[in-house]
Amino acid sequence: MVGSWQDAALVAVDLEGSGAQDRDREAILEIATIPLTAGVVQVAEGYHTMINPGRSIPRRPWISPGLTNDALSGAPALSSVEPELSARLNSRILVGHNIAVDWRLLQRRCPTLRPTGLIDTLRLARQLDTERAGLSLTALLDRHTLTRRVSELAPGGQPHRALWDAVGAGLLLACLAEQIHGARPVSLRELQRLAAIPLATLTPIRPGGEQTELFPRATADGSPQVRLRRPPRPSRNSHAWR
């Protein structure tokens, strides 16, 4: 079917952040991108990495286990990851659960990203689930008996970690899309009508949107190398509805 959502260039995305409570210091801690081919998640072709946030991150209830300062200190800086993200996300439609929250922070930190649209599985679930109860990603995956499959595709992962949640969002999209017309594939246009989120324009933090490294490298004279950032606008917690 020409124009089916399965023919579109889609990529499931999830990131974990330090939380909007950080305001101008809100940082990306982890990101995963999983392409969908013919509506099927392609984990082997995906990308997943933790991100060095440029500073120590205090322990907070909403920061997932495993995203510790020790682990993050050995991760790449966002500036070195952004070209890879651009190659994987530009000219594609991003899919995620409450994707506007992820895109808000991605757009601020990585201004070179140029996706063509956003598909929100939370919004789609709200359109299809008249009860509107238990609309978190984990609740919806349980309801549609997808949790085990997510864990199989993301071994060692867990809810509220980027890889697990990105895989879950991709599987959930395919499951929900099947409910719209049953055996007949839904068109991309209709899927966008039900689940698209506008690509809002936000002011980048600074050209390049860089985060400094947790343990800055020294300059030629041995002094610490420090990069400055402009503060973004405050925003809501990145873990809402997850």
Side-chain angles (χ1 to χ4, degrees):
M1 176 180 176
V2 177
S4 167
W5 75 272
Q6 297 171 323
D7 299 326
L10 302 174
V11 57
V13 177
D14 188 82
L15 62 84
E16 302 300 320
S18 63
Q21 290 82 352
D22 276 350
R23 297 179 180 270
D24 62 312
R25 305 185 76 199
E26 187 178 9
I28 297 173
L29 305 180
E30 184 181 39
I31 187 166
T33 71
I34 308 292
L36 280 72
T37 302
V40 179
V41 296
Q42 305 295 323
V43 178
E45 300 173 15
Y47 177 73
H48 168 233
T49 184
M50 287 187 283
I51 303 291
N52 186 319
R55 60 183 174 86
S56 179
I57 300 296
R59 291 185 179 182
R60 290 165 172 164
W62 57 85
I63 295 180
S64 298
L67 298 179
T68 64
N69 286 319
D70 286 345
L72 296 171
S73 66
L78 185 61
S79 57
S80 64
V81 169
E82 186 171 354
E84 182 74 30
L85 295 178
S86 295
R88 291 175 177 271
L89 302 182
N90 285 358
S91 302
R92 291 171 174 81
I93 298 173
L94 309 189
V95 175
H97 203 67
N98 208 7
I99 187 64
V101 173
D102 292 312
W103 174 238
R104 169 192 54 75
L105 187 53
L106 269 177
Q107 187 181 22
R108 286 173 171 167
R109 294 296 184 189
C110 301
T112 62
L113 298 186
R114 296 290 185 272
T116 58
L118 305 174
I119 295 292
D120 185 10
T121 53
L122 172 59
R123 182 176 180 183
L124 184 58
R126 282 173 170 161
Q127 297 286 342
L128 300 178
D129 192 330
T130 56
E131 295 181 5
R132 297 195 177 186
L135 294 179
S136 70
L137 179 60
T138 52
L140 287 165
L141 291 173
D142 283 344
R143 186 179 309 161
H144 295 285
T145 63
L146 292 170
T147 301
R148 184 172 182 178
R149 182 57 178 158
V150 177
S151 295
E152 291 173 348
L153 292 174
Q158 61 182 323
H160 307 304
R161 289 296 299 267
L163 180 60
W164 201 96
D165 285 4
V167 171
L171 291 177
L172 182 61
L173 174 66
C175 179
L176 294 177
E178 289 180 358
Q179 297 182 12
I180 298 174
H181 293 313
R184 179 168 63 87
V186 65
S187 69
L188 176 61
R189 178 175 296 180
E190 185 167 7
L191 181 63
Q192 290 175 316
R193 180 182 65 80
L194 293 172
I197 298 293
L199 280 166
T201 300
L202 300 173
T203 303
I205 294 172
R206 60 172 299 234
E210 295 179 349
Q211 294 178 165
T212 59
E213 295 183 26
L214 185 60
F215 300 103
R217 294 186 177 92
T219 59
D221 62 3
S223 61
Q225 190 178 62
V226 179
R227 298 188 182 117
L228 299 178
R229 302 171 300 168
R230 291 180 183 174
R233 299 171 186 171
S235 53
R236 60 185 293 190
N237 192 322
S238 61
H239 283 283
W241 286 103
R242 290 189 182 170

